[in-house]
Amino acid sequence: MNAVCVQCGAAKDVPLARCGSCGLLPEGGDRMRSMCASRRMVDAETLATLQRRIRDGQTLDPSPALRARAAALLEAPDATPRAEVLRPGALLVLATASLLVTPLLAWAAWFRWRVRADRRATQALRIALYTSAASTGAWLAWVRAS
């Protein structure tokens, strides 16, 4: 466990990622609190204690020193989630490969990017849904024609 969701206490791999349990995407003050509830800020034992407290309904209230460290980390250039998107060429390749080979390619891309706070996961999910629907429709038409 590298981080804890500040809303539900679920374990996360990345402090600023969307929680897989409750869906919270840390924004505003939650970004600082999420950073404070991570292994970058506290040791494993303290993180486990924070997790128990959050699950018991307590609100995370970091000390001023911990807040200052978290703010410094958040201001670092690598702390901001990337707003990466797939370029049109990459979208076309993913869609074509998913349609001609298997929609599992787009599902795998979505699975890889789902924990990040960028748009690639949304783009891959849309392609996966559309190509899955198209493949299912083609299969049903083939079965009915047989």
Side-chain angles (χ1 to χ4, degrees):
M1 167 173 63
N2 291 326
V4 171
C5 174
V6 295
Q7 181 169 301
C8 69
K12 300 192 314 184
D13 291 328
V14 181
L16 299 179
R18 183 178 303 278
C19 177
S21 295
C22 69
L24 175 73
L25 179 62
E27 295 177 339
D30 285 339
R31 287 174 53 84
M32 183 272 305
R33 291 181 4 183
S34 293
M35 191 59 78
C36 289
S38 72
R39 289 293 307 270
R40 292 188 76 179
M41 302 294 292
V42 296
D43 59 36
E45 185 177 316
T46 304
L47 192 58
T49 302
L50 288 174
Q51 183 179 36
R52 282 192 300 278
R53 288 181 181 171
I54 292 169
R55 286 184 174 171
D56 288 341
Q58 295 180 15
T59 303
L60 178 64
D61 187 24
S63 68
L66 203 56
R67 288 178 195 225
R69 284 183 48 214
L73 281 175
L74 287 170
E75 290 175 5
D78 65 340
T80 306
R82 298 180 197 109
E84 293 182 26
V85 295
L86 294 173
R87 289 174 287 167
L91 278 172
L92 183 62
V93 167
L94 182 60
T96 303
S98 294
L99 193 56
L100 296 178
V101 181
T102 176
L104 289 175
L105 294 171
W107 286 110
W110 167 78
F111 187 79
R112 173 174 164 66
W113 293 320
R114 77 191 187 291
V115 297
R116 296 187 180 172
D118 61 22
R119 292 192 42 210
R120 293 180 298 181
T122 304
Q123 291 174 313
L125 180 61
R126 283 187 184 140
I127 290 172
L129 290 171
Y130 293 146
T131 57
S132 292
S135 296
T136 301
W139 179 78
L140 287 173
W142 178 72
V143 167
R144 288 184 183 161
S146 297

